[in-house]
């Protein structure tokens, strides 16, 4: 049930002389096809999740060109695909979320970077760093430096991004090195236009296959070849890359009218830098800046001659480098001192050491820099910078004064009707009997259980690694511990690193697998065990059979919305005499996808005048006592509070709003926890038939007779 891009992919058919108008990732996909790519693979993850969705919806275009598309089981599998470019002049691209995906892919990437490539190898990574990120705060820059993979960070506009994709393949081939293209979330989702080119059928493809294999021991990661490979990286590939970057002017210099100052920024930070200058009156709406800007569309490797040439006549330069460590700032210090240039390099002195460089952050940093070094700009510019700093501080103070108290934190949570919430409700009920128990969490929607109202989950170590992270702590507890794993994590890494490891070591462990049918946290992409598969994928892969295949003997499958049965299964696993791995499969489809699937069906039935029955739950406020245990044990967004209509009830009563999807969790929790009987289940009939009308009249007559006057 991945999102459909069938309309958008029509843009991929555009040719030379036509203008592409669209979104960032779609433009990247178009650039891949214009570059003659032979194969593309990837694993979903924000902000590049939909690149594989786009390619899968463009099967007719892809197959016509002979391009091979592979939706990989993990980032490691995607990176390993690039091995096709080691011995053959084949262009390939893969994509994933960084840095977590890059960490998973690191084994294959290290080998690939050591050996080198003949065909262009491009890695499109979603650089998910900053306040809106859903991952650990790291940058891909360190990995690029460590493995000698060239890193592109294109200026956020479609012509530059498309050019960097095309030049990225050329750079890879010119230096026999894989290339990373990092795209921040704003670059992935920006809209713009560029002049399209014709799609190129690859020289080697599914339509023009290879005839015979090539063998070269020098391209195997095995000593003594690896020693030669390391020397070749530094002595041949690196200079070749710098030469290509310089000759093709991949980095951009925007001349200003003030020669004494300059700004050096990552390509991805160019828009924020120019916007800050505009607000200070130092750039116009077209981006023409008074201060020269050196935009690094290639952040690794740097080209010392370019850096020195830009800085030679400058008294001070500001380095706008998001994140830490300050790799670029430190590199500039080294390059300029080696060139015997005394240009003052300023970076983290004016800008934060870590965190996302939002518009406000960059504006504040640029203002501070101008206030200190802006003498060539004149007193008016310095005064403007000082006033901007004061204005930003005043706006914050005024907002704080008007709010009075800080806005309450609103942590993310499960969707309405999410099938994972009942599992944690069952755990909270079990905790009442046993006391708290250690829970090793995993990556996925279920990680939200660590937030209120559940606060369940003590550690998170990586995708599919929950059970592996539990292996050391479990034997050190006096009672059994629990691990949570999603079905996406199961297929990604959990089956081998967690489950097979636990069976092999005879670990006395309890694992709950959230079988909702999708990798929901990344956009509900299909996984091997999804029920609704595309025609080009296998539809006969089962979690239960996989567990049996690796030797798991204790397996129970529970429909997640049966809270009492889930609690009983957990209780049984906790007290079982069986000392091996015990797996509970919490089975129910992702509610978000279920509603997406049902909504058009319901709309079609209503339009046709057919009977539609839907279930809703509610609270009888005459019965509700205002205890709100139901909310603490459910956490559903549709279960809230409202003022009682009874003037004698001062406390608010529980209330189910119109967002309810009828999953029944609130009633199940009330039943399993032996709470008050205030919940009721109602069936709403649209387009009722004759029988429905007769039953309704009979019920109303009976209720009217039983009610007092």
């Amino acid at each position: 049930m991945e999102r459909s891009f069938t309309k958008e992919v029509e843009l991929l058919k555009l040719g030379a002389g036509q203008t592409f108008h669209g979104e960032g990732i779609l433009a990247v996909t178009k650039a891949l096809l214009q570059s003659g790519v032979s194969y593309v693979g990837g694993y979903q993850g924000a902000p590049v999740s939909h690149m594989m969705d786009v390619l899968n919806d463009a099967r007719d275009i892809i197959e016509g060109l002979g391009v091979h598309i592979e939706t990989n089981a993990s980032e490691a599998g995607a990176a390993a695909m690039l091995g096709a470019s080691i011995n053959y002049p084949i262009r390939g691209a893969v994509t994933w979320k960084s840095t977590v995906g890059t960490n998973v892919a690191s084994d294959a990437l290290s080998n690939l970077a050591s050996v080198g490539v003949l065909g262009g190898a491009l890695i499109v990574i979603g650089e998910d760093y900053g306040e809106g990120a859903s991952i650990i705060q790291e940058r891909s820059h360190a990995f690029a430096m460590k493995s000698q993979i060239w890193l592109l960070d294109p200026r956020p506009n479609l012509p530059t991004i498309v050019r960097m994709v095309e030049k990225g393949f050329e750079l890879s081939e010119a230096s026999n090195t894989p290339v990373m293209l990092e795209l921040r979330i704003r670059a992935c989702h920006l809209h713009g236009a560029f002049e399209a080119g014709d799609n190129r059928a690859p020289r080697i493809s599914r339509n023009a296959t290879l005839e015979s294999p090539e063998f070269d021991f020098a391209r195997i990661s095995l000593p003594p070849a690896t020693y030669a490979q390391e020397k070749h990286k530094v002595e041949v590939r690196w200079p070749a890359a710098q030469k290509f970057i310089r000759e093709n002017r991949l980095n951009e210099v925007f001349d200003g009218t003030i020669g004494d100052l300059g700004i050096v920024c990552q390509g991805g930070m160019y828009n924020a830098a120019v916007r800050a200058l505009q607000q200070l009156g130092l750039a116009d709406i077209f981006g023409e800046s008074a201060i020269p800007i050196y935009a690094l569309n290639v952040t690794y490797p740097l080209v010392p001659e370019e850096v020195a040439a830009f800085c030679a006549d400058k008294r001070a330069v500001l380095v706008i480098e998001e994140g830490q460590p300050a790799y670029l700032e430190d590199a500039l210090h080294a390059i300029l001192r080696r060139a015997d240039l005394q240009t003052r390099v300023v970076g983290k002195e004016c800008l934060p050491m870590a965190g996302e460089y939002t518009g406000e952050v960059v504006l504040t940093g640029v203002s501070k820099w101008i206030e200190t070094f802006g003498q060539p700009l004149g007193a008016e510019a310095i005064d403007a910078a000082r006033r901007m700093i004061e204005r930003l501080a005043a706006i914050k103070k005024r907002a704080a004064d008007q709010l009075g108290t800080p806005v309450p934190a609103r942590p993310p949570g499960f969707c309405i009707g999410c099938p994972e919430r009942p599992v944690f409700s069952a755990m909270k009920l079990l905790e009442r009997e046993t006391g708290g128990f250690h829970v090793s969490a995993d990556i996925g929607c279920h990680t939200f259980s660590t937030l209120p109202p559940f606060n369940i989950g003590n550690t998170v170590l990586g995708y599919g690694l929950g059970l592996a992270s539990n292996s050391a702590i479990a034997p050190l507890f006096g009672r059994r511990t629990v691990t949570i794993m999603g079905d996406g994590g199961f297929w990604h890494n959990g089956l081998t690193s967690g489950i097979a490891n636990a069976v092999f070591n005879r670990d006395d462990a309890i694992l709950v697998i959230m079988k909702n049918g999708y990798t929901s946290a990344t956009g509900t992409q299909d996984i091997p065990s999804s029920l609704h598969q595309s025609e080009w994928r296998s539809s006969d892969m089962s979690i239960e059979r996989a567990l049996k295949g690796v030797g798991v003997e204790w397996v129970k499958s529970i429909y997640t919305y049966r809270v009492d049965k889930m609690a009983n299964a957990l209780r049984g696993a906790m007290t079982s005499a069986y000392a091996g791995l015990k797996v509970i499969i919490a089975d129910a489809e992702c509610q978000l996808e279920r509603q997406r699937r049902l909504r058009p069906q319901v709309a079609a039935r209503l339009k046709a005048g057919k009977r539609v029955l839907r279930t809703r739950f509610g609270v009888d406020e005459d019965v509700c006592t205002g205890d709100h245990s139901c909310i603490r044990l459910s956490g559903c967004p549709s279960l809230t509070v409202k003022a009682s209509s009874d003037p004698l009830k001062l406390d608010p009563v529980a209330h189910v709003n119109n967002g309810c999807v009828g999953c029944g969790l609130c009633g199940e929790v009330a039943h399993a926890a032996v709470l008050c009987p205030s919940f009721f289940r109602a069936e709403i009939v649209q387009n009722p038939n004759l029988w429905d009308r007769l039953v309704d009249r009979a019920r109303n007559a009976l209720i009217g007779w039983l009610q007092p006057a």
Side-chain angles (χ1 to χ4, degrees), residues 167-210:
K167 289 297 180 181
F169 282 113
E170 295 178 26
L171 171 60
S172 177
E173 290 161 349
S175 60
N176 304 117
T177 303
V179 170
M180 286 181 172
L181 177 84
E182 68 173 12
L183 298 172
R184 292 169 173 79
I185 189 168
R186 292 180 182 86
C188 290
H189 300 301
L190 68 83
H191 281 67
F194 68 92
E195 293 304 310
D198 292 329
N199 294 335
R200 288 170 47 193
R203 188 156 54 95
I204 299 170
S205 70
R206 298 180 73 132
N207 298 337
T209 57
L210 292 163

Side-chain angles (χ1 to χ4, degrees), residues 612-686:
V612 172
L613 176 69
R614 61 191 180 96
T615 303
R616 282 285 309 276
F617 284 78
V619 175
D620 186 341
E621 65 176 79
D622 292 335
V623 180
C624 178
T625 63
D627 172 69
H628 306 322
S629 292
C630 52
I631 295 176
R632 291 193 293 274
L633 286 170
S634 168
C636 180
S638 68
L639 184 56
T640 181
V641 294
K642 72 171 186 177
S644 173
S645 57
D646 185 345
L648 298 179
K649 278 189 176 180
L650 300 180
D651 294 329
V653 294
H655 172 66
V656 180
N657 65 28
N658 287 329
C660 175
V661 295
C663 73
L665 173 60
C666 49
E668 279 286 326
V669 166
H671 171 71
V674 197
L675 299 178
C676 65
S678 60
F679 284 92
F680 64 84
R681 178 176 180 269
E683 291 182 343
I684 301 171
V685 181
Q686 293 172 277

Side-chain angles (χ1 to χ4, degrees), residues 279-298:
Q279 290 177 286
L280 291 168
L282 296 171
D284 61 24
I285 60 172
F286 301 105
E288 296 293 331
S289 169
I291 299 177
I293 301 174
Y294 179 35
L296 293 169
N297 292 319
V298 186

Side-chain angles (χ1 to χ4, degrees), residues 320-335:
I320 302 178
E321 176 185 9
E322 185 177 57
Q324 59 84 32
Y327 298 115
L328 296 178
E329 185 180 341
D330 292 345
L332 255 69
H333 277 294
I335 290 170

Side-chain angles (χ1 to χ4, degrees), residues 693-707:
R693 295 179 189 277
L694 289 173
V695 170
D696 181 60
R697 287 177 184 174
R699 285 173 176 166
N700 286 334
L702 180 61
I703 292 170
W705 180 72
L706 292 173
Q707 282 181 331

Side-chain angles (χ1 to χ4, degrees), residues 207-287:
N207 298 337
T209 57
L210 292 163
E211 295 296 327
S212 57
E214 293 286 339
F215 177 78
D216 183 355
F217 175 72
R219 295 188 170 276
I220 301 295
S221 297
L222 186 71
T226 47
Y227 310 141
Q229 290 164 9
E230 183 67 10
K231 285 179 62 68
H232 194 259
K233 277 200 295 187
V234 176
E235 296 176 359
V236 178
R237 297 186 211 163
W238 194 346
Q242 290 176 321
K243 180 173 182 288
F244 183 90
I245 294 163
R246 184 175 61 252
E247 291 180 351
N248 287 270
R249 298 185 178 180
L250 299 191
N251 296 318
E252 299 173 278
V253 175
F254 299 90
D255 295 324
T257 56
I258 306 296
D260 200 34
L261 298 173
I263 292 176
V264 179
C265 66
Q266 296 162 305
M269 295 308 303
Y270 173 83
N271 288 5
V274 169
R275 177 60 180 152
L277 293 173
Q278 287 174 350
Q279 290 177 286
L280 291 168
L282 296 171
D284 61 24
I285 60 172
F286 301 105

Side-chain angles (χ1 to χ4, degrees), residues 569-633:
L570 286 165
R571 188 181 297 109
M574 285 283 194
T575 58
S576 172
Y578 181 71
L581 176 62
K582 293 161 283 292
V583 179
I584 298 171
I585 300 175
D587 190 358
E589 184 182 10
C590 168
Q591 190 67 235
L592 192 64
E593 278 305 304
R594 183 173 180 273
Q595 294 302 318
R596 284 172 178 164
R597 189 163 47 78
L598 293 178
R599 199 173 294 121
Q601 297 175 16
V602 170
R605 290 184 63 85
L606 288 173
K607 187 176 181 180
K610 294 181 179 179
R611 180 179 184 270
V612 172
L613 176 69
R614 61 191 180 96
T615 303
R616 282 285 309 276
F617 284 78
V619 175
D620 186 341
E621 65 176 79
D622 292 335
V623 180
C624 178
T625 63
D627 172 69
H628 306 322
S629 292
C630 52
I631 295 176
R632 291 193 293 274
L633 286 170

